[in-house]
Amino acid sequence: MNKVISASQKATRAQTKEHNKRFILKTIYERDPISRADLARLTKLTRASISNVVAALLEENLVHEVGLAKKSVGKPPTLLSFNKSARQLITLDLANDQFRGCLMNLRGDITDRVKISVEEQRGESAVDKVVELIEELKAKATEPLLGIGIGTPGVIEPYRGVVKSAINLNWSDLPLGDMLEERFDIPVYIANDAQLAALAQYLFSPDKESIKNLILVKVGRGIGSGIIFGGEIFFGDGFSAGEIGHVVVDPNGKLCTCGHNGCLETMASTRALSEQMTQIAMANPSSKLHDKARAGHPLHSNDILQAHQEKDFTVQPVIERSGRFLGGAIAHLVGAMNIRHIYIAGSMARFGDALLEPIRQEVFRRSYPALINQIDIEISDLGADIVVLGAAALVLNFELGIV
Amino acid sequence: MNKVISASQKATRAQTKEHNKRFILKTIYERDPISRADLARLTKLTRASISNVVAALLEENLVHEVGLAKKSVGKPPTLLSFNKSARQLITLDLANDQFRGCLMNLRGDITDRVKISVEEQRGESAVDKVVELIEELKAKATEPLLGIGIGTPGVIEPYRGVVKSAINLNWSDLPLGDMLEERFDIPVYIANDAQLAALAQYLFSPDKESIKNLILVKVGRGIGSGIIFGGEIFFGDGFSAGEIGHVVVDPNGKLCTCGHNGCLETMASTRALSEQMTQIAMANPSSKLHDKARAGHPLHSNDILQAHQEKDFTVQPVIERSGRFLGGAIAHLVGAMNIRHIYIAGSMARFGDALLEPIRQEVFRRSYPALINQIDIEISDLGADIVVLGAAALVLNFELGIV
DNA sequence: AATATTTTGTTTGATGAATTAACTAAATCA
DNA sequence: TGATTTAGTTAATTCATCAAACAAAATATT
C-alpha cells in the first residue's frame, strides 16, 4: 500500500483497486468485527470483490478471521477483525523542553514510552536525540514497523518531511524526513504538533461519523491550532495554517518577541498565565500562591492548576482572562470558516470548565447570533498523548488509508 | 457527464473512465489548441486511450479539430480545440436590489444580459421574477443549455439547491434548485454570491496554475467572503463559510441589526461609507459632496466614487477607515488559514488602491512578520460580472469537470 | 425427519477501460 | 530515394469489477 492518489492525474485500474482495498480495510477498522457479506452491503461492492481483497488483507496479516456470528437464518457469516497488532508505530512529540516517544499498535494503544530531556540541546545535537529516541523504541519493537510519525512545534512541510523552521530547536530547512528514512529505512511522516493534535481529535473522536471539519486549539507555552477539512489536515499555502499564536488580540497588549503588541500567545498562553498569576499572587496575601510568588520562583502552570483545584479564588480571574482572549480569536475562526466543532487541548486544557466557559462566552458574544447554537466548543478528551496519537493517525492515514 | 465522485465510496471502472474524460477535457480547455500526442504526454495516458476519449468528445461536439500544426520532423499533429460554443449557460446574480441574468458560452463570454428591478418584490413574487428572467434568457439561446447557475446573498445549501435563508429576499428553506429543475429540465446550481465570486477568481484568474487556495472578500452593501481550498469552494458545516460580515471588529462600534456592536458590515460596507461620508461632507463645506449631503439625500457610493476620482480630499480618510477594519478582519483569516492570495471585490473595490493600501497596511501590521512577505492582496480584476462568472464556473465544474 | 428456504462465501465466465505493440500516414533528414 | 521521426489508429492483452451459478451451513416448514 502506498501514498494517496493525487487530484489532477490520470486514473488507472490499479488506483481503483488500491482505493477499494483501503476503503475495505477502513470499513473493517471502523466496524470491527464484520463479515464479508456485511462489507459487501456497506461498500456496495460485490461479495466476489470483497472476498478477493480480503484474501490479500489476510495474507498481509492486517485482518484476522475471528469465528462465526449467529444469525436467525442462513449460513453463519465469518467475522473479520482488524489486526491491530499486525504492525507497530513509532511516534514522537518534540515538545518544548523534552522529547517524548511511544511505541504503539495500529489502534494507537501505547505499549512503551521513552522521554529525553533536551533543555539546551538544539540544532544538530537535537537531531541526535531524535535518532537516539527512535533507536531505543525500535529495539523494543516486537512487530514489523509501519512507520515513524513525528509532531513538532514549528513550520513543517509535511509531504517532503522538511522542517522549514522550528525556533525552539533552532532548525531551519532541515530535511528530517529524508534523514530518518535513510537511517531507518521506514516511512517517516512529520507535521506540526497542533495540526497533528487536530488530526488525532478527528480520528480518535468517538462520534467522528458525522464530524468532517474541526478546529483544535492547543494552548500551552505556545498557542497553535490545527484545522481539519473533510478529514484531512489543512496545511495552508506556507504550511502554517492554524498558527494563530501571533494574531493580535489586544493592540495595546504586551510586546511579543515577534515585534507586535498583544499577540494571542503573549496574552493567553501558560506563560502569560504564570506572569499574571505571579503578579496577582504577590499582591494578594490570601492567595495560596502568595509565598511561592514572593519567593521569586516563577509560578509553574502545575502550581497554578493545583491551587485552582484547591479552590484558590485568585486563580479563576486569571484563567478567565486567557479564556476571553482565546474566545476572541476563536470567534474569528468560527465566523470565517463556519466550523461547528472546536476543541481545546494542551496543558492549559487541564483547567477544564474554568477555561472553557469564558471561551464560550466570548465566542458567543462575538459571533453572529444565528450561528451561535451551531457552535460546539469542548475540551479535548485525548489528554497529554494527543500529539503522538496524531502522529500515529498521520502514519495510519498515509500507509493504510485509515481516516 | 455527471457529478463528481464522492470520497468514501467504492471506486469503479466507470468512474475511472469518467475521471479521465474530464481530465482530458480540462487539459484541452487549458492548453487549447493541443494535439492528441501532446495530451498523451501531459496526462501520461497512452495515445490509444486519448484517441478513444477524444472521439467521444468530438461526438459530443465539445471539441473540434482545427487543422494541423507545423513541427520540425514527423507527421504533423492534428490540433484539438475546446468548442466554447458547443453549449450555453444561463447565469443569475440575485443582488440586493436588482436581479441580473446572462447568457454565456463555455468560456464565460457573455452574449446577452437581462436585468430586472425587484425593489419590493420578496418571497414568492421574487421567485416569479427569477423564472421570468430565465424564460427570457432561454428564449435567446441558440445552443443547447448546459445548465443554470445562480448566485445569491444568503445561506445556501449548494448540493441540494436549497436557499436556507436569504434575508433580503425573505426566503427560507426554499428548494429553489428543485423548483427550477422541474420547471426547465436543466441542471441548476446555486451558491452564495461571495463564494461564487471566489470560485470565479480561481477559475478565471490568469495565473491559476499555481494558486490552489484563495480568499475573496466581497465588499458592497453587505460584506462576505468566499474561500477556495484546493480549487473547490469551502462551504463550512452550515454552508456559511466566509460570512465575515458580522465578525465584531470594534466592540465599541455602532449597533448592528444582528444585535452586536461594531460588526464588520456596520463599520466597513458601502452603507457605512455613505453614512460616514455624509457626516463629514456636511461638516466640511469644501467637500465636493457638501451640497448633496446637506440636501438630505443619502450619498450613494457612486457619488462618493466620483468625488474620489475628482480628487476630493475628504473621501480618502473615509475609505481608509473602511480599509483598516477590513484589514483587521482579513488579518485573522490570513493568520488562521495561511492563505497567500487575497482578493477584494464588490462595488467597494472600485476605489482601487485607495482601499487596497490601508487594507494591506492593517493586515501587515497585525500579521506574524515571517508571513507578511508571503501575503498577496489584490483588487479582483473580474469587475461587476464576478458573481455570474462564478455561477458559470460552478456549472462548468460540476457538468464538465473544468476547474 | 425430510425438504425448502435463506444467507454466506467461492468459483467461473463476462465486461470493459487502459495498455502494449504493431501498423499506417506524413512529414523531415541524409 | 530511402531512412528516420512523429502522429494517430487498430488489434490483442491485461486485470479489476461484476454477474451468475454453485456449494456450504444454518433455520423454517411440512
Side-chain angles (χ1 to χ4, degrees):
Chain A
M1 293 212 177
N2 220 309
K3 310 291 159 80
V4 161
I5 302 157
S6 162
S8 58
Q9 259 196 349
K10 70 171 175 179
T12 64
R13 248 187 342 223
Q15 287 172 346
T16 303
K17 170 132 190 168
E18 180 65 22
H19 173 100
N20 285 336
K21 189 175 177 185
R22 283 165 168 259
F23 183 36
I24 290 168
L25 182 61
K26 182 183 156 194
T27 308
I28 297 172
Y29 179 87
E30 287 170 353
R31 310 281 179 138
D32 188 346
I34 188 172
S35 69
R36 289 175 179 81
D38 280 342
L39 279 171
R41 275 184 287 268
L42 275 169
T43 61
K44 306 276 173 65
L45 288 158
T46 60
R47 293 203 303 278
S49 298
I50 296 286
S51 284
N52 178 26
V53 173
V54 165
L57 293 172
L58 287 167
E59 178 65 31
E60 293 176 57
N61 199 30
L62 288 167
V63 167
H64 274 164
E65 292 191 340
V66 290
L68 304 180
K70 287 238 156 101
K71 293 207 55 174
S72 57
V73 66
K75 174 179 171 178
T78 316
L79 290 177
L80 301 166
S81 179
F82 179 75
N83 179 14
K84 65 183 180 184
S85 305
R87 308 277 190 284
Q88 285 181 307
L89 289 79
I90 289 175
T91 51
L92 308 182
D93 178 2
L94 311 185
N96 294 302
D97 43 2
Q98 66 173 6
F99 291 177
R100 308 191 308 124
C102 297
L103 196 61
M104 302 180 156
N105 68 19
L106 294 178
R107 287 247 183 235
D109 304 323
I110 297 170
T111 50
D112 290 275
R113 290 172 188 275
V114 181
K115 289 181 187 181
I116 294 187
S117 185
V118 284
E119 283 125 30
E120 290 309 308
Q121 311 268 15
R122 305 171 98 229
E124 286 283 330
S125 70
V127 176
D128 294 341
K129 288 287 170 190
V130 172
V131 171
E132 200 179 303
L133 211 55
I134 296 172
E135 291 281 13
E136 206 169 324
L137 288 164
K138 194 181 173 188
K140 292 178 196 271
T142 57
E143 304 294 334
L145 287 167
L146 184 71
I148 300 172
I150 304 178
T152 171
V155 178
I156 322 294
E157 194 174 332
Y159 304 114
R160 289 172 46 223
V162 175
V163 180
K164 305 282 284 185
S165 81
I167 292 167
N168 59 313
L169 295 167
N170 197 30
W171 288 345
S172 67
D173 289 312
L174 179 77
L176 187 61
D178 286 345
M179 289 162 69
L180 296 175
E181 267 180 8
E182 201 171 318
R183 182 94 159 75
F184 294 102
D185 201 30
I186 309 172
V188 177
Y189 299 94
I190 311 177
N192 171 275
D193 58 349
Q195 293 173 344
L196 284 185
L199 186 63
Q201 188 68 46
Y202 173 75
L203 186 60
F204 295 103
S205 191
D207 48 9
K208 80 178 178 89
E209 289 303 303
S210 54
I211 299 178
K212 287 292 160 224
N213 309 306
L214 67 83
I215 296 173
L216 181 140
V217 182
K218 189 161 174 282
V219 190
R221 287 181 59 182
I223 297 178
S225 73
I227 306 169
I228 303 290
F229 289 145
E232 292 183 0
I233 297 174
F234 178 71
F235 291 106
D237 287 328
F239 309 105
S240 59
E243 288 282 348
I244 57 172
H246 296 278
V247 167
V248 174
V249 293
D250 180 0
N252 305 316
K254 198 186 151 196
L255 184 68
C256 173
T257 52
C258 79
H260 286 160
N261 288 83
C263 293
L264 182 59
E265 202 161 292
T266 61
M267 306 304 288
S269 66
T270 54
R271 223 174 307 172
L273 186 78
S274 296
E275 287 167 10
Q276 283 279 317
M277 196 65 237
T278 305
Q279 276 189 20
I280 288 179
M282 273 172 65
N284 197 330
S286 63
S287 167
K288 291 194 199 323
L289 297 163
H290 182 66
D291 293 346
K292 205 163 212 166
R294 277 187 61 109
H297 299 300
L299 289 174
H300 192 269
S301 61
N302 290 346
D303 303 326
I304 304 172
L305 179 64
Q306 197 188 338
H308 178 252
Q309 282 164 346
E310 290 166 3
K311 312 268 186 240
D312 186 324
F313 67 97
T314 59
V315 177
Q316 179 68 18
V318 183
I319 299 170
E320 271 181 19
R321 182 170 174 277
S322 286
R324 280 196 304 276
F325 284 121
L326 286 166
I330 291 171
H332 274 269
L333 298 185
V334 171
M337 293 191 250
N338 184 221
I339 287 185
R340 195 162 291 177
H341 300 278
I342 313 288
Y343 298 89
I344 312 294
S347 59
M348 191 86 130
R350 294 177 298 170
F351 288 98
D353 284 344
L355 178 69
L356 190 57
E357 275 312 313
I359 291 177
R360 281 185 174 144
Q361 280 173 25
E362 190 67 18
V363 171
F364 294 168
R365 199 170 76 77
R366 285 170 171 258
S367 294
Y368 191 51
L371 292 182
I372 285 178
N373 56 0
Q374 292 183 8
I375 303 169
D376 179 31
I377 310 177
E378 304 286 348
I379 300 281
S380 167
D381 50 346
L382 295 180
D385 289 325
I386 191 163
V387 173
V388 286
L389 285 173
L394 195 65
V395 177
L396 290 170
N397 187 350
F398 276 92
E399 289 295 315
L400 299 181
I402 302 170
V403 182
Chain B
M1 294 213 176
N2 220 309
K3 312 290 159 83
V4 162
I5 302 156
S6 161
S8 59
Q9 258 196 351
K10 70 171 177 180
T12 64
R13 251 185 341 217
Q15 287 172 348
T16 303
K17 169 128 189 170
E18 180 67 21
H19 173 99
N20 284 336
K21 189 175 175 185
R22 283 165 168 259
F23 183 37
I24 290 168
L25 182 61
K26 182 182 156 194
T27 309
I28 297 172
Y29 179 87
E30 288 171 352
R31 310 279 180 139
D32 189 346
I34 188 172
S35 68
R36 290 174 179 82
D38 279 342
L39 279 171
R41 277 185 284 268
L42 274 169
T43 62
K44 307 273 171 68
L45 287 158
T46 60
R47 293 202 305 276
S49 299
I50 296 286
S51 283
N52 178 26
V53 172
V54 164
L57 293 172
L58 288 167
E59 177 66 30
E60 293 176 57
N61 198 30
L62 287 167
V63 166
H64 274 165
E65 293 191 339
V66 291
L68 304 180
K70 289 236 156 102
K71 293 205 55 171
S72 58
V73 67
K75 174 179 170 179
T78 316
L79 290 177
L80 302 166
S81 179
F82 179 75
N83 179 13
K84 65 184 181 184
S85 305
R87 310 277 191 282
Q88 285 182 307
L89 289 80
I90 290 174
T91 51
L92 308 183
D93 179 1
L94 311 185
N96 295 301
D97 43 2
Q98 65 173 8
F99 290 177
R100 307 191 308 124
C102 297
L103 195 62
M104 301 179 157
N105 69 18
L106 294 177
R107 286 251 184 229
D109 303 323
I110 297 170
T111 51
D112 291 275
R113 291 171 187 274
V114 180
K115 288 182 187 180
I116 293 187
S117 184
V118 286
E119 283 123 31
E120 290 308 308
Q121 312 267 16
R122 306 170 98 228
E124 288 282 330
S125 70
V127 176
D128 294 340
K129 288 286 169 191
V130 171
V131 171
E132 200 177 304
L133 211 54
I134 296 172
E135 291 282 14
E136 206 168 325
L137 288 164
K138 195 181 170 186
K140 291 179 197 272
T142 57
E143 304 295 333
L145 288 166
L146 184 71
I148 299 172
I150 303 177
T152 172
V155 178
I156 322 294
E157 195 174 331
Y159 303 114
R160 289 173 45 224
V162 175
V163 180
K164 306 283 282 185
S165 82
I167 292 168
N168 59 313
L169 295 168
N170 198 31
W171 288 344
S172 67
D173 288 313
L174 178 77
L176 186 61
D178 287 346
M179 290 163 68
L180 296 176
E181 268 181 7
E182 202 171 317
R183 181 94 159 73
F184 294 101
D185 201 30
I186 310 172
V188 176
Y189 299 93
I190 309 176
N192 172 274
D193 58 348
Q195 293 172 343
L196 284 186
L199 186 63
Q201 188 67 46
Y202 173 75
L203 186 59
F204 296 104
S205 192
D207 48 8
K208 79 180 179 82
E209 288 305 301
S210 54
I211 299 178
K212 288 290 160 224
N213 310 306
L214 67 83
I215 296 173
L216 182 140
V217 182
K218 190 163 172 281
V219 190
R221 288 182 59 184
I223 297 177
S225 73
I227 306 169
I228 302 291
F229 289 145
E232 292 183 0
I233 297 174
F234 178 72
F235 290 106
D237 288 328
F239 309 105
S240 58
E243 288 282 347
I244 57 171
H246 295 277
V247 168
V248 174
V249 293
D250 180 0
N252 305 316
K254 199 185 150 195
L255 185 67
C256 173
T257 53
C258 80
H260 285 160
N261 288 84
C263 293
L264 182 59
E265 202 161 292
T266 61
M267 307 303 288
S269 67
T270 56
R271 223 174 305 173
L273 186 77
S274 297
E275 288 166 10
Q276 284 279 317
M277 196 65 237
T278 306
Q279 276 189 19
I280 288 178
M282 272 172 63
N284 197 327
S286 63
S287 167
K288 292 193 200 318
L289 297 162
H290 182 66
D291 294 344
K292 205 163 211 165
R294 278 189 59 109
H297 300 298
L299 289 174
H300 192 269
S301 61
N302 290 347
D303 303 326
I304 303 172
L305 180 63
Q306 197 188 337
H308 178 253
Q309 283 164 345
E310 292 166 1
K311 314 270 187 233
D312 186 326
F313 67 97
T314 59
V315 177
Q316 178 68 17
V318 183
I319 299 169
E320 270 181 20
R321 183 172 174 275
S322 287
R324 282 196 303 277
F325 284 121
L326 286 167
I330 290 171
H332 274 269
L333 299 185
V334 171
M337 294 191 249
N338 184 221
I339 287 186
R340 195 163 292 178
H341 300 278
I342 314 288
Y343 297 89
I344 312 294
S347 59
M348 191 86 130
R350 293 176 299 169
F351 287 97
D353 284 345
L355 178 68
L356 190 55
E357 274 312 313
I359 291 177
R360 281 186 175 143
Q361 280 174 24
E362 190 67 18
V363 171
F364 294 167
R365 199 171 75 77
R366 286 171 171 259
S367 295
Y368 191 51
L371 291 182
I372 284 178
N373 56 0
Q374 292 184 8
I375 303 169
D376 179 31
I377 309 177
E378 304 286 350
I379 300 282
S380 167
D381 50 346
L382 296 179
D385 290 325
I386 191 164
V387 173
V388 287
L389 285 173
L394 195 65
V395 177
L396 290 170
N397 188 351
F398 275 92
E399 289 294 316
L400 299 182
I402 302 170
V403 181

